[in-house]
Amino acid sequence: MKRNIFVLALVLVLAMTFVVAKGTKEEAKSVSSTLTVGVDQEAVGLDPHIVTAFSSMRRLDLLYNRLVRLDENMKVVPDLAESWEIPDNLTYIFHLRKGVKFHNGREMVASDVKYSLERVLDPKTASPGASYIAPIERIDIVDQYTVKLTLSSPLASLLDALTSNNISIVPREVVEKEGNLQRVAVGTGPYMLKEWVQDNSMTLERNPDYFEEGYPVSDTIIFRVIPEQASLYAGVRSGSIDVATINDGAVVRQASADKSVVVLNKPGMNVRVFAFNNKRAPFNDVRVRQAIALTLDRSEILTMAEYGMGSATGPVPISASEWAIAPDKLPLGTVDHARAKALLAEAGYPNGFTFDIVCSATYEGGLDVAQVVQNELKAIGLTANLDVVEWGNYIDRWVKRDFDTMIELRGGSSEPDRFLYRSLHSTGGVNNFQFADSETDRLLELGREQTDPAQRKATYDKLQEVLSEKAPLVFLYCPNESHVISSAVKGFVQVGNGSLFYLTRASVEK
Amino acid sequence: MKKPRILKNGIAVAGLILIFLYVMISIVSIFYLPFDPTAMDAKAILQAPSLSSGHLFGTDEFGRDVLSRIMKGTSVSFIISVSATAFGAVVGIFMGVWAGYLGGRIDNIIMRIADILFSFPSLLLAIFIMAILGEHTYNVVLAIGIVYIPQFARISRGSIIALKSNEYIRAAKSNGAGRSYILAHHLLPNITAPLIVQISLSLSTAILLESALSFLGLGIQPPNPSWGNMLSSARKVMLFAPWTAIYPGLAIVLLVLGFNLLGDGLRDILDPRLRNVR
Amino acid sequence: MGKYIVKRLLSLIPVLIGVSLIVFFLVRLIPGTALQMYMGTQVEATPAQLEELKRLFGEDRPIPVLYFEWMGNLLKGDFGHSLRTGRPVLPDILSRLPISLELTIYSLLLALIIGIPLGVLSSLRQNTTGDFINRIIGLIGLSLPQFWLAALLVIGFSHTQGWIPMGNYVPITKAPLVNLKMFFLPSLAIGFGFAAVVMRYTRNSMLEVMQADYVRTAKAKGLPYRKVIMIHALKNAILPVITVTGFNAGYLLGGSIVIEEVFALPGMGRLALYAINQRDYPVLQAIILVIATLFVLVNLVTDLLYAWADPRIRLDEQR
């Protein structure tokens, strides 16, 4: 009898497994006009003027439009504005498309643009986009489809700024009714929000009134949140996911060797940097910074920390091909241990010194990079201790400027002004390097004011040289934007800043 | 001299052997390791275990030798496990003994504190403490130690209470023996049995707790090797490089098993009721 | 007995208040704030914006004031809003409760189904090789780190569809078979270790019971061996197993945190980890309070069962 209990129990467990396995065959439906996208983080909220997380931006790519957007070559192209004029460097006139409808059926007109931009600029909204368009002084409605922006000071990067998800065009009545747009999505975008199950999935369905003819192609897009990159890859392989955003080098490497999936790589807009606290000794001595700049080997770091999935870069992200100068063409661009050691000795550290590198194992904390850097700096006698902290701690240290050096991932832009001004101007909002240099400031201000492309190019060329020479930080590389997609997916194109906008062109053949 | 009881128990012996093995590895690792556990080798990334390359357990995502890292992690695991258990035991027993012996309000207050600590699942409490204190090795010891306090407090209190009403204690009191004397000479020696078992249990759980914390990124930080953080970095590569996950895990299992075998054997010896039923 | 229950319930109140104090003040000791997390390293804010943000994130008032605000709202049933997403906290937690509950229950069931029969078997064959092997396997089960077992299961099942949750959770009421399939591996990861605990306790309590006088009497009276075991021993051995399950609820709850993380199940454990990560104080406070309360209640029920079974403890409390 006692033996029977045991056997019975075992049989029960086995039977359950069998039944469950059999039963799920029925669940495999194939709706070929559904695209399943695997991402590793849930969107925090959906209000375009408020959110900061990349994960939220990816949903906004499909739910809202801006005045202009970036195409797959990171060029500014029309979105809601079909054309524009710039009569002088303080005035911009946008002509809007006619007949564009919000998801609630109402037509989008000039007053919506005015409302949206003003909401962004309003301090009460506390929008991250405000700093991008701060110089806008007045917004005038010329007629129902024409908006005129007047700036208080020139901002050459304005058009680029207007492509940001944070400056999407939203309908006033929905904001006033709901308080904010975190949980609802009423935009003009190619997809509408159908269902959102927190930390699980988000279902978008096609907007039948979308203004681009013939798009979007797929009827439904489902976002699934799977925090494990390896599981995302496994999902694409097994067919439960069609497109997966994967940024882990090891997984991408593995997927690249796998014939059953397709790996798309594109140079990204984010910049991995090794940051100095320019106010702290010994990093207040430019020679020390230069010595380190001469020791860090970009290609080795890329191989070890990113499995080669990226491109070495200088101050302007290398994929902004109109502006960027390759790092090896800039001062201190090639590894030179002898010169580095000489500089250290000159600065008074012939035997090197010890210092901390703040980094984190999660998010953009760059622990892998830190470990490689630590290794490399041994060659010139420097001992780096890794101060590995948890992400919240990392941000705390960043905010308090409490670090010797730090590994950071910065959001770059294809327009040099937007990225470099805020990061390196002495009054820049994210200049946590505490770098204050009058020559840099002057060049940054010049680049912002000038409108002639040839002049601007000369200014930014000079700026890249100066920044490399003075090395307030070392610009290392731009990681690739990688997507692992099933071979049945057609039409998807990547954008360097990670945007998923071109999912509108994608379909799955099952 | 008669053979000590403990050696007669096969299970306890098995446990001792495993633990001894690890102690040996720990000592050896101070003098010799097959490779430098933190040395990166770009040409040897994620290599499968092979005799010819010398990487008996393969390499990780930085080309570091897995076996060397496991060996280096052994001392860390031991130190944390022993220190945390010692901390929790000392504080917990102190609290529990006084609570049990003195009774009344002091008992209430002490046990309320223990209850509050006890109302959190162990891992959650440890995570919480680590988040506050920061991810340093000594904080891991503190966090796990604090988690253990209520258990030791309860056990020692329970034993003291059960013993207090004993005849010979009352006899000693009526003979004029002081409180501390009774405590030291009559009570403490007799509560050792359940405590010893709890200690061996705590030693094993400490290793599991530390590896769980490191796994979640809140314990020992890379590049210092800990079995838990090795498993954590193995997560993203384990589907195509399973050795990075299998061996560190195995290291955890065998040491924890050693402590558990020892604890079990001790329980067998110290609890006469279970010795033989037939 | 009734007085004892009331006493214990009353003693819960200071404990829960203590928990709420600890949670509230200690979470704010963790370096970094929700506002900082929100702004990250990329956001610039003008002083006017910063003021507004501080107000939104509750950083413009002293902490004790915030505490009393929070407690006041709590007593009215308002658990506040997430700092990160702005959504009300309680519905979010409640929506995740079923998932954690499912995970815990399935793990428990698996553990009982595997553990009890093996434990009984082992006790009847004490000191034989079979018993020895069983005990070793049981100890191995105890020694397995859950996340390692989970990792092995993921490696093993990675090529098949449907066994590993992929952001496609459906409640059991909607699609029971998909649901069960998805929970099987995670429950196994937790349940396997717990099965070992159950097995050992079953074995030990069976051994104790079989030594008891009344069982010996029954055997001496000539009752058939099997009947004796089944009717008397098993019945009396089950209670300690139930209580040890209760005492180990922490193991199950704690295990669920890691397993939810590894298998990406949207349960309460993952929410707690996320809240700590993001310094989302209202969510963190609420969730720790909920988990601690559940835990304390389970412990209380277990203690009560234990006291009901063992009079010594009750008497002692009445000193």
Side-chain angles (χ1 to χ4, degrees):
Chain A
M1 247 300 241
K2 57 252 171 190
R3 204 164 307 181
N4 291 351
I5 314 170
F6 177 46
V7 173
L8 186 63
L10 210 57
V11 169
L12 208 64
V13 172
L14 288 172
M16 257 171 44
T17 322
F18 203 60
V19 166
V20 161
K22 265 279 165 87
T24 49
K25 280 231 184 91
E26 308 142 24
E27 308 294 334
K29 281 188 300 185
S30 159
V31 182
S32 61
S33 200
T34 302
L35 207 57
T36 308
V37 180
V39 292
D40 66 347
Q41 281 181 46
E42 176 62 283
V44 176
L46 291 176
D47 189 324
H49 298 165
I50 297 181
V51 296
T52 53
F54 288 131
S55 50
S56 312
M57 304 286 194
R58 299 291 73 89
R59 322 292 168 102
L60 297 176
D61 290 333
L62 298 167
L63 293 166
Y64 290 88
N65 293 97
R66 308 113 224 129
L67 281 174
V68 286
R69 65 172 173 85
L70 293 172
D71 70 4
E72 68 263 32
N73 297 315
M74 299 291 286
K75 300 255 184 310
V76 174
V77 295
D79 201 9
L80 286 177
E82 58 185 4
S83 65
W84 52 88
E85 292 134 30
I86 311 176
D88 60 70
N89 69 354
L90 293 175
T91 315
Y92 290 76
I93 303 178
F94 292 94
H95 301 282
L96 306 175
R97 281 183 213 270
K98 302 185 176 52
V100 177
K101 299 239 185 76
F102 281 108
H103 298 159
N104 62 6
R106 180 170 77 66
E107 190 190 12
M108 188 275 312
V109 289
S111 55
D112 292 308
V113 174
K114 179 171 159 80
Y115 172 72
S116 302
L117 291 179
E118 284 177 345
R119 183 170 181 249
V120 171
L121 288 166
D122 183 355
K124 282 224 158 317
T125 315
S127 170
S131 59
Y132 304 154
I133 55 171
I136 295 184
E137 199 175 48
R138 289 172 51 132
I139 307 165
D140 293 310
I141 300 179
V142 174
D143 62 53
Q144 221 193 358
Y145 299 106
T146 315
V147 182
K148 179 166 125 182
L149 304 179
T150 313
L151 307 181
S152 58
S153 56
L155 182 63
S157 59
L158 181 67
L159 278 180
D160 185 79
L162 290 171
T163 65
S164 163
N165 290 91
N166 282 131
I167 316 197
S168 301
I169 307 302
V170 306
R172 149 185 263 142
E173 69 273 17
V174 181
V175 177
E176 285 172 352
K177 176 163 168 252
E178 305 277 349
N180 64 39
L181 296 172
Q182 288 284 59
R183 280 163 279 165
V184 300
V186 180
T188 55
Y191 285 94
M192 306 190 292
L193 178 64
K194 178 154 172 236
E195 192 196 19
W196 189 9
V197 180
Q198 276 301 310
D199 216 7
N200 201 30
S201 65
M202 182 187 281
T203 308
L204 305 178
E205 72 182 356
R206 144 218 291 272
N207 173 4
D209 295 317
Y210 185 58
F211 61 84
E212 274 191 296
E213 266 303 312
Y215 297 123
V217 177
S218 295
D219 291 327
T220 315
I221 291 189
I222 305 181
F223 279 89
R224 296 210 186 278
V225 179
I226 300 161
E228 292 279 359
Q229 302 260 316
S231 301
L232 278 171
Y233 165 48
V236 178
R237 273 188 34 182
S238 68
S240 45
I241 304 179
D242 301 311
V243 175
T245 312
I246 297 187
N247 43 41
D248 186 89
V251 180
V252 176
R253 178 177 177 261
Q254 189 66 17
S256 306
D258 185 341
K259 299 267 184 297
S260 65
V261 300
V262 175
V263 177
L264 299 175
N265 278 309
K266 196 160 220 177
M269 269 298 135
N270 292 328
V271 185
R272 176 71 73 189
V273 306
F274 183 76
F276 297 109
N277 184 340
N278 287 264
K279 283 228 166 81
R280 237 188 231 194
F283 302 106
N284 47 2
D285 185 335
V286 63
R287 291 167 297 193
V288 172
R289 304 198 299 266
Q290 289 174 330
I292 293 183
L294 282 167
T295 314
L296 296 183
D297 184 340
R298 290 179 176 85
S299 68
E300 185 183 56
I301 296 177
L302 262 176
T303 311
M304 303 283 283
E306 299 278 353
Y307 295 87
M309 306 281 170
S311 318
T313 187
V316 175
I318 194 79
S319 45
S321 44
E322 288 177 10
W323 306 97
I325 304 180
D328 52 356
K329 307 246 178 323
L330 290 166
L332 310 177
T334 15
V335 177
D336 188 344
H337 289 173
R339 195 168 149 215
K341 283 200 240 187
L343 279 166
L344 275 182
E346 224 184 272
Y349 301 99
N351 299 318
F353 56 88
T354 308
F355 66 100
D356 286 342
I357 306 181
V358 174
C359 55
S360 178
T362 50
Y363 298 108
E364 294 93 41
L367 173 60
D368 295 349
V369 175
Q371 294 185 69
V372 181
V373 166
Q374 180 191 41
N375 218 19
E376 286 181 351
L377 290 176
K378 288 188 202 156
I380 56 170
L382 293 181
T383 310
N385 291 325
L386 297 190
D387 195 353
V388 187
V389 293
E390 180 259 339
W391 182 245
N393 217 319
Y394 173 96
I395 301 230
D396 192 49
R397 301 282 293 270
W398 187 93
V399 168
K400 298 201 170 100
R401 321 293 196 231
D402 176 18
F403 60 95
D404 291 339
T405 60
M406 233 176 153
I407 308 281
E408 298 187 40
L409 186 70
R410 289 284 172 136
S413 60
S414 50
E415 224 299 337
D417 171 59
R418 207 170 124 195
F419 167 47
L420 291 172
Y421 195 97
R422 58 210 297 256
S423 308
L424 287 161
H425 193 279
S426 51
T427 63
V430 291
N431 180 356
N432 73 318
F433 323 107
Q434 307 201 271
F435 181 60
D437 176 65
S438 49
E439 194 184 1
T440 306
D441 278 0
R442 191 180 57 81
L443 286 167
L444 283 167
E445 286 154 18
L446 209 53
R448 185 165 264 208
E449 290 163 6
Q450 290 168 328
T451 40
D452 174 39
Q455 281 183 333
R456 290 191 80 212
K457 177 97 176 85
T459 308
Y460 284 114
D461 280 356
K462 185 87 178 81
L463 180 61
Q464 289 177 70
E465 270 184 45
V466 169
L467 285 176
S468 305
E469 188 68 48
K470 299 202 175 160
L473 59 148
V474 183
F475 296 87
L476 294 172
Y477 62 88
C478 292
N480 282 349
E481 278 298 316
S482 302
H483 291 89
V484 177
I485 68 178
S486 129
S487 38
V489 171
K490 306 271 175 278
F492 175 62
V493 177
Q494 295 172 298
V495 185
N497 60 5
S499 167
L500 290 178
F501 176 75
Y502 287 103
L503 281 178
T504 50
R505 316 306 198 232
S507 62
V508 190
E509 278 151 36
K510 283 233 169 106
Chain B
M1 179 170 142
K2 243 178 76 180
K3 209 167 161 205
R5 250 189 331 179
I6 190 171
L7 289 181
K8 286 208 200 132
N9 182 304
I11 291 205
V13 170
L16 280 174
I17 293 179
L18 269 177
I19 297 175
F20 184 67
L21 192 65
Y22 275 85
V23 171
M24 282 286 96
I25 293 178
S26 187
I27 295 179
V28 166
S29 74
I30 302 178
F31 304 107
Y32 167 75
L33 288 166
F35 290 84
D36 176 354
T38 53
M40 300 185 188
D41 184 357
K43 295 181 281 313
I45 292 179
L46 293 177
Q47 277 186 357
S50 82
L51 279 175
S52 52
S53 69
H55 295 292
L56 291 172
F57 285 173
T59 60
D60 67 7
E61 69 275 14
F62 283 123
R64 299 179 294 209
D65 180 46
V66 173
L67 176 57
S68 309
R69 288 174 68 76
I70 290 181
M71 287 173 69
K72 183 104 191 278
T74 310
S75 351
V76 177
S77 298
F78 263 122
I79 293 177
I80 292 188
S81 166
V82 170
S83 323
T85 305
F87 178 78
V90 165
V91 177
I93 294 177
F94 186 77
M95 280 169 63
V97 162
W98 281 112
Y101 192 61
L102 295 175
R105 289 206 65 196
I106 299 192
D107 179 14
N108 265 330
I109 295 176
I110 294 186
M111 290 324 280
R112 276 313 134 257
I113 298 177
D115 278 344
I116 292 180
L117 283 177
F118 211 55
S119 60
F120 297 91
S122 323
L123 185 59
L124 194 58
L125 184 57
I127 291 174
F128 198 47
I129 297 176
M130 287 306 296
I132 298 175
L133 297 175
E135 303 86 11
H136 296 283
T137 310
Y138 46 84
N139 289 332
V140 178
V141 172
L142 208 57
I144 298 180
I146 292 179
V147 167
Y148 282 163
I149 292 177
Q151 287 155 325
F152 280 103
R154 278 196 179 194
I155 291 180
S156 33
R157 174 181 178 272
S159 307
I160 294 282
I161 288 179
L163 277 176
K164 252 192 347 180
S165 44
N166 254 326
E167 291 272 327
Y168 68 90
I169 303 287
R170 292 212 226 114
K173 259 214 237 174
S174 61
N175 273 342
R179 272 219 290 236
S180 322
Y181 181 82
I182 295 180
L183 208 55
H185 288 250
H186 293 293
L187 291 176
L188 280 181
N190 287 297
I191 64 172
T192 47
L195 283 176
I196 287 183
V197 175
Q198 179 64 26
I199 286 179
S200 75
L201 189 66
S202 302
L203 284 170
S204 72
T205 334
I207 299 183
L208 288 175
L209 268 178
E210 180 271 314
S211 57
L213 282 174
S214 303
F215 181 74
L216 291 171
L218 293 164
I220 314 279
Q221 298 295 324
N224 296 317
S226 123
W227 300 331
N229 72 25
M230 287 173 76
L231 276 176
S232 175
S233 23
R235 260 164 105 184
K236 37 183 199 201
V237 296
M238 65 184 185
L239 281 180
F240 35 89
W243 57 90
T244 54
I246 294 179
Y247 293 110
L250 216 49
I252 298 177
V253 173
L254 291 175
L255 181 55
V256 174
L257 182 61
F259 280 118
N260 280 335
L261 283 170
L262 183 61
D264 234 40
L266 285 173
R267 199 181 280 142
D268 264 2
I269 298 168
L270 297 168
D271 194 349
R273 286 181 300 176
L274 300 176
R275 238 184 251 141
N276 219 317
V277 177
R278 301 291 184 93
Chain C
M1 187 66 190
K3 260 207 330 204
Y4 180 65
I5 296 180
V6 172
K7 255 189 69 179
R8 286 299 303 267
L9 276 174
L10 282 179
S11 74
L12 269 189
I13 299 180
V15 170
L16 285 178
I17 293 187
V19 169
S20 80
L21 273 169
I22 288 184
V23 167
F24 194 87
F25 287 97
L26 288 190
V27 289
R28 284 163 173 77
L29 281 182
I30 306 178
T33 67
L35 174 52
Q36 284 175 344
M37 302 298 292
Y38 165 74
M39 290 182 51
T41 58
Q42 305 297 324
V43 177
E44 287 182 75
T46 62
Q49 281 182 318
L50 209 50
E51 259 193 58
E52 180 63 26
L53 281 170
K54 284 201 175 151
R55 197 187 61 79
L56 284 171
F57 279 82
E59 283 184 25
D60 57 342
R61 286 155 290 172
I63 297 185
V65 171
L66 290 172
Y67 176 70
F68 285 110
E69 261 183 41
W70 180 59
M71 280 304 265
N73 285 334
L74 211 57
L75 293 171
K76 282 189 255 165
D78 174 12
F79 278 69
H81 294 255
S82 157
L83 287 178
R84 193 94 162 102
T85 64
R87 285 194 312 270
V89 172
L90 194 57
D92 268 353
I93 296 184
L94 289 180
S95 70
R96 286 165 181 262
L97 190 57
I99 295 163
S100 296
L101 225 53
E102 272 190 74
L103 186 58
T104 313
I105 292 177
Y106 295 154
S107 311
L108 194 54
L109 284 177
L110 265 179
L112 292 175
I113 291 176
I114 300 177
I116 293 185
L118 282 178
V120 170
L121 218 57
S122 197
S123 69
L124 296 175
R125 302 209 174 314
Q126 192 196 21
N127 288 335
T128 58
T129 343
D131 176 33
F132 197 71
I133 295 179
N134 248 341
R135 289 178 68 187
I136 299 278
I137 295 183
L139 284 172
I140 293 180
L142 271 188
S143 315
L144 288 173
Q146 288 163 338
F147 47 91
W148 187 60
L149 183 56
L152 292 179
L153 289 172
V154 169
I155 293 179
F157 279 79
S158 62
H159 294 281
T160 56
Q161 240 203 60
W163 292 98
I164 301 179
M166 289 257 174
N168 49 357
Y169 167 77
V170 284
I172 194 166
T173 42
K174 258 207 220 160
L177 292 172
V178 176
N179 179 287
L180 285 174
K181 193 173 175 189
M182 190 183 309
F183 271 100
F184 181 63
L185 289 183
S187 317
L188 193 58
I190 301 179
F192 193 78
F194 198 56
V197 177
V198 169
M199 190 201 85
R200 288 153 55 77
Y201 261 84
T202 310
R203 176 182 179 275
N204 285 346
S205 56
M206 279 293 289
L207 287 177
E208 267 192 54
V209 163
M210 289 200 298
Q211 268 231 301
D213 281 343
Y214 70 91
V215 175
R216 294 230 213 99
T217 318
K219 276 209 280 193
K221 275 207 207 153
L223 280 180
Y225 190 55
R226 282 183 186 169
K227 213 164 162 223
V228 166
I229 299 300
M230 284 316 297
I231 297 173
H232 295 281
L234 200 57
K235 235 178 11 174
N236 289 283
I238 289 295
L239 185 60
V241 175
I242 307 283
T243 55
V244 83
T245 303
F247 282 134
N248 281 288
Y251 177 88
L252 288 172
L253 265 174
S256 75
I257 294 179
V258 180
I259 297 302
E260 280 178 22
E261 173 69 19
V262 174
F263 282 101
L265 287 168
M268 287 201 313
R270 272 197 72 207
L271 188 58
L273 275 182
Y274 147 86
I276 292 180
N277 217 293
Q278 297 288 324
R279 316 290 193 262
D280 201 340
Y281 301 139
V283 176
L284 187 56
Q285 287 154 204
I287 236 195
I288 294 191
L289 206 54
V290 168
I291 293 183
T293 309
L294 275 175
F295 197 57
V296 164
L297 284 174
V298 169
N299 276 343
L300 177 63
V301 169
T302 317
D303 271 354
L304 289 176
L305 278 172
Y306 203 64
W308 173 66
D310 191 347
R312 278 185 303 178
I313 303 195
R314 249 184 299 147
L315 290 174
D316 175 64
E317 289 286 336
Q318 281 163 16
R319 247 181 323 109

